[in-house]
Amino acid sequence: MTTEIENWVSEIASLTKPDNIRWIDGSEQDELNALLVERGTFTPLNPEKRPNSFLARTNPADVARVEERTFICSEREQDAGPTNNWFEPRAMREKLQGLFDGSMRGRTMYVIPFSMGPIGSDQARYGIEVTDSAYVVSSMMIMTRVSSKVLDEIAAGSEWVPAVHSVGAPLAEGEQDVAWPCNPDVHVVQFPETKEIWSFGSGYGGNSLLGKKAMSLRIGSTMARDEGWLAEHMLLIRITNPEGKQFNVAAAFPSACGKTNLAMLKPSLPGYKVETIGDDITWIAKSASGKLKAINPEYGLFGVAPGTGPDTNQHALDSMKENAVFTNVALTDDGDVWWEGLSEPPAHLTDWKGNDWTPESGELAAHPNSRFCVPMEQAPTVAPDWDRAEGFELDAILFGGRRATNVPLVTESRDWNHGVFMGATIASEQTAAAEGPVGQLRRDPFAMLPFCGYNMADYWNHWLNIGNEVSNPPKIFQVNWFRKDENGRIMWPGFSENTRVVDWIIGRLENKNKGQATPIGRIPATGELNIEGLGLDDETMQKIMDVDSDSWMAETEMIEAFFDGFGLALPPEMTRQLHWLRNQLELQREAELVNN
Ligand code: OXD
Ligand code: MN
């Protein structure tokens, strides 16, 4: 072990003042789970129903990522950009010193060496998280590769990211602990220049499992900018078509927009196979052959439970049959888990807050952001070689959002730069994964709004550069499963039937489908999308694919206003793309006038 790490650990310990320090090597899972049961943090589930699985109930105030308490502390405010909460680094350090001073009193400080990516891969990056939460240690063991081998890699000269986490609930002498200690003064802080993470107050997922959003995306994106790669909020799958050809596809969707479902897609068309490589985060680098190659830096799934059922994602259900940690779902009377969307509601449950629940209660039994956490290997769809060190060369990148209007089922970008424009302008109706009003449209560029560790406009510029530096970049598409008709009904059946969209995309990659040019990109030509057996009439298909010049013209106004927020940092290419789009819409409008 390096003295650098030892010194850092003692420095954090003298600040936080834990009762003791425990170095974790990855072998402690069972012991910690037993401890969590003893403390009441974990409720063991019925082993006959779900072996070696547990339910955690958080404090009802600690249930989601807290974006307004997430800070990017770069030296210059403009380097955080208008979409991040910037805080002056020295002032933040002072604040953190106050918050963390004595914050681990009465607790054990765990030291977790972890790797994002296969240990030893040139795409892997290492971190050390210290935390006073055994729940965090147990979850980190599922979500990352926790191993003392990481210390060897660091000793051999690899860089590492220091990550400090405390629930912020010191225990006085003899004070009884609560099942879910936390502190309302949540701070999730990233220092991009020194590549450090400090998180205080929350034990919940993205706030406390610091390998995930904090390291793999916020700090990851700044490492990627500096080192010439991309750290993305994307799933990663390998698709085999009926001819046996394989295609690697990454896809970015805002949180809770069906990413896990696509990652484990159960194909509805015969002869297709979809294998899961990752469900949330993808790191993309340039490959020697002029393509982009990708890995999943994570080691487990941390998926939203509600809405997961036999019809929507049987594969996800199969992944959590055992060795699963559930957070904030409901408990059945026979010691198993339940959430809205799993099945018909049972007559009685214990809800996510620990209260009695019946269908008449008029409340959700599971929190809408409740989660399941399982090792990646348990996904029945996992690619046998999912964690190969060399990664997967990308054939296509998809951008999605939850759009009731305007955005067709699938659109292919004209080229890389247009694809970056598509990624920059995706929007989604707000979901439950973050705090805030559900249902409002929010622009979520690259699904990275809460996760980009630097100025979003500089990030777009980085994307433009990366694609133009390789000879054979992936093709970029935009998809939208969620378009609604005038009665507010989602028109496309979605889920397994999204295979049909994948099928069209592959047809484009193979140059078998021609598509049809529109001002916003290429959509399927009539008859190209296989809708056999779906019972969708021509009129509905027309509405699903429609590109309406007037409402798109209005959308360009919104995009322009959004872009204006980035001031001079906005890459001129984005403005050029916007002008191009407007010209095309004008032309379409004129053609419509002539035709009518
Ligand atoms: C997640 C998220 O937890 O995006 O993956 O919020
Ligand atoms: Mn996510």
Side-chain angles (χ1 to χ4, degrees):
M1 191 186 317
T2 69
T3 21
E4 194 195 347
I5 297 176
E6 276 172 347
N7 289 346
W8 174 72
V9 168
S10 5
E11 206 181 290
I12 301 302
S14 41
L15 173 65
T16 58
K17 306 177 181 66
D19 277 7
N20 42 62
I21 300 177
R22 171 110 188 249
W23 290 76
I24 295 295
D25 66 14
S27 65
E28 302 86 349
Q29 183 110 55
D30 292 343
E31 180 203 331
L32 288 172
N33 289 349
L35 180 75
L36 285 159
V37 170
E38 193 184 305
R39 290 201 189 142
T41 309
F42 273 180
T43 303
L45 299 175
N46 181 343
E48 277 167 24
K49 303 246 159 210
R50 226 169 274 269
N52 193 33
S53 297
F54 306 90
L55 164 64
R57 290 192 194 106
T58 69
N59 181 306
D62 190 19
V63 292
R65 287 183 289 99
V66 193
E67 289 174 13
E68 69 279 9
R69 293 299 191 112
T70 300
F71 301 94
I72 301 295
C73 300
S74 47
E75 292 295 331
R76 302 186 315 167
E77 184 169 4
Q78 76 202 66
D79 289 335
T83 59
N84 280 313
N85 297 316
W86 177 78
F87 209 96
E88 201 278 316
R90 264 158 303 274
M92 179 55 86
R93 281 188 197 282
E94 238 167 71
K95 204 167 176 184
L96 291 173
Q97 290 289 315
L99 289 172
F100 279 87
D101 187 3
S103 73
M104 297 190 186
R105 249 195 204 104
R107 301 188 182 277
T108 296
M109 177 171 113
Y110 300 95
V111 184
I112 317 168
F114 66 94
S115 174
M116 302 315 296
I119 299 175
S121 159
D122 61 352
Q123 281 193 262
R125 295 291 181 274
Y126 307 113
I128 313 270
E129 176 166 350
V130 299
T131 177
D132 53 7
S133 160
Y135 168 87
V136 168
V137 185
S138 176
S139 305
M140 281 290 283
M141 283 186 188
I142 300 177
M143 293 307 298
T144 72
R145 296 159 173 87
V146 173
S147 166
S148 46
K149 284 198 208 124
V150 168
L151 298 176
D152 302 337
E153 292 290 332
I154 294 172
S158 291
E159 269 195 86
W160 57 286
V161 172
V164 186
H165 171 255
S166 172
V167 293
L171 291 168
E173 189 77 41
E175 185 183 338
Q176 183 63 35
D177 201 3
V178 293
W180 189 271
C182 59
N183 185 316
D185 200 5
V186 172
H187 280 72
V188 182
V189 183
Q190 283 76 199
F191 293 95
E193 276 100 3
T194 49
K195 306 206 176 1
E196 273 169 271
I197 303 161
W198 291 74
S199 170
F200 180 88
S202 168
Y204 168 80
N207 299 333
S208 67
L209 314 180
L210 298 181
K212 197 174 181 56
K213 306 299 190 181
M215 169 153 167
S216 292
L217 292 176
R218 296 192 195 100
I219 294 296
S221 60
T222 61
M223 293 198 282
R225 171 198 59 190
D226 297 347
E227 300 168 10
W229 49 281
L230 300 166
E232 299 306 321
H233 190 204
M234 291 179 178
L235 63 82
L236 183 57
I237 51 181
R238 176 166 60 203
I239 302 160
T240 308
N241 74 357
E243 287 86 61
K245 276 192 88 169
Q246 297 192 320
F247 304 86
N248 300 319
V249 175
F253 291 82
S255 304
C257 282
K259 215 149 103 236
T260 308
N261 293 343
L262 183 58
M264 299 188 182
L265 184 74
K266 195 172 172 183
S268 63
L269 295 179
Y272 268 99
K273 178 163 143 193
V274 171
E275 291 168 288
T276 314
I277 303 165
D279 79 317
D280 194 41
I281 297 175
T282 297
W283 281 356
I284 303 171
K286 292 178 250 179
S287 82
S289 65
K291 289 189 155 192
L292 294 180
K293 60 172 184 173
I295 63 160
N296 168 15
E298 300 195 276
Y299 204 51
L301 306 168
F302 184 70
V304 174
T308 310
D311 301 334
T312 60
N313 196 341
Q314 181 61 45
H315 289 148
L317 292 181
D318 291 343
S319 76
M320 47 178 113
K321 280 184 181 152
E322 55 188 351
N323 312 315
V325 175
F326 297 90
T327 304
N328 288 342
V329 301
L331 182 69
T332 63
D333 292 350
D334 58 358
D336 202 4
V337 286
W338 191 86
W339 48 81
E340 281 71 19
L342 177 63
S343 61
E344 283 303 308
H348 179 264
L349 291 165
T350 307
D351 74 8
W352 69 276
K353 292 182 190 156
N355 299 328
D356 278 323
W357 182 97
T358 65
E360 290 73 48
S361 298
E363 280 185 40
L364 295 174
H367 187 277
N369 190 36
S370 55
R371 301 284 177 143
F372 64 93
C373 182
V374 291
M376 198 60 211
E377 293 281 352
Q378 286 187 197
T381 48
V382 74
D385 53 348
W386 75 278
D387 67 343
R388 67 187 193 198
E390 69 272 27
F392 296 82
E393 287 190 331
L394 286 179
D395 299 293
I397 293 177
L398 318 187
F399 292 116
R402 187 181 277 272
R403 291 296 306 265
T405 60
N406 273 16
V407 180
L409 181 62
V410 54
T411 320
E412 180 188 339
S413 66
R414 291 186 308 281
D415 55 20
W416 180 265
N417 288 1
H418 180 221
V420 173
F421 175 80
M422 274 182 174
T425 53
I426 59 175
S428 190
E429 288 150 22
Q430 169 94 32
T431 68
E435 292 197 331
V438 172
Q440 243 173 43
L441 189 70
R442 87 167 184 171
R443 259 186 216 272
D444 190 351
F446 289 76
M448 284 287 278
L449 192 61
F451 307 124
C452 184
Y454 61 105
N455 190 318
M456 185 63 83
D458 295 338
Y459 163 88
W460 297 339
N461 205 34
H462 182 57
W463 258 84
L464 290 166
N465 291 338
I466 292 284
N468 292 309
E469 282 162 16
V470 293
S471 54
N472 198 1
K475 282 201 152 66
I476 300 180
F477 298 80
Q478 175 164 30
V479 296
N480 175 28
W481 321 135
F482 301 99
R483 202 164 185 179
K484 291 182 177 168
D485 65 15
E486 54 288 351
N487 302 318
R489 197 184 54 92
I490 293 180
M491 295 182 283
W492 179 249
F495 301 107
S496 288
E497 303 302 358
N498 293 336
T499 314
R500 296 163 190 270
V501 175
V502 166
D503 176 62
W504 183 77
I505 288 172
I506 287 178
R508 283 297 298 153
L509 298 178
E510 296 263 80
N511 250 323
K512 288 185 181 152
N513 290 331
K514 291 209 162 23
Q516 174 192 338
T518 81
I520 61 165
R522 204 168 274 276
I523 63 172
T526 313
E528 271 180 0
L529 189 77
N530 176 351
I531 51 166
E532 215 180 295
L534 289 185
L536 289 171
D537 56 36
D538 289 352
E539 197 196 335
T540 309
M541 280 317 295
Q542 160 64 28
K543 282 189 208 155
I544 290 176
M545 294 298 180
D546 188 39
V547 179
D548 180 81
S549 7
D550 289 335
S551 50
W552 265 98
M553 212 41 127
E555 177 117 9
T556 64
E557 301 293 319
M558 286 158 67
I559 294 173
E560 184 168 23
F562 174 62
F563 280 175
D564 280 349
F566 296 92
L568 292 175
L570 184 75
E573 178 61 22
M574 292 290 111
T575 312
R576 211 183 64 80
Q577 290 288 339
L578 183 63
H579 288 163
W580 199 92
L581 173 56
R582 280 205 174 120
N583 284 340
Q584 295 298 305
L585 290 168
E586 275 306 339
L587 291 175
Q588 175 168 314
R589 233 196 304 210
E590 278 165 24
E592 279 163 4
L593 285 178
V594 171
N595 290 342
N596 292 338

